Amino acid sequence: RRAANVVVQALNLPPRTREQLYREESERQSYHARRNAQASKSHRKTRRKRLAELGVDPDRIKSIPPKKTQ
């Protein structure tokens, strides 16, 4: 939605200003995507730890994706 709003706002602006707005929005989107990915990773790690403490094997639960080794 934010990206679409930027496109609409920039329609009548000079090309240089329009490109700057696009670049800023792209950076903003990337920033939030990185934060969301890190939060997801952290929440997944916490959930797996809590299940392991309860004696539940997280890899055998269908709703939890298997742990990826990197």
Side-chain angles (χ1 to χ4, degrees), residues 8 10 12-13 18 20-22 25-26 28 30 39-40 45 47 49 51 55-56 58 60 67 70:
V8 171
N12 295 323
L13 295 175
R18 184 177 21 210
Q20 178 65 26
L21 286 175
Y22 292 164
E25 183 57 29
S26 176
R28 200 174 291 118
S30 294
S40 177
K45 181 179 175 183
R47 186 179 325 117
K49 181 180 176 186
L51 287 170
V56 176
R60 303 193 48 77
K67 183 178 180 181
Q70 295 179 358

Side-chain angles (χ1 to χ4, degrees), residues 33-50:
R34 282 191 312 273
R35 285 194 49 167
N36 287 339
Q38 181 59 45
S40 177
K41 182 179 176 182
S42 178
H43 292 306
R44 196 168 35 250
K45 181 179 175 183
T46 300
R47 186 179 325 117
R48 292 179 67 84
K49 181 180 176 186
R50 287 183 183 156

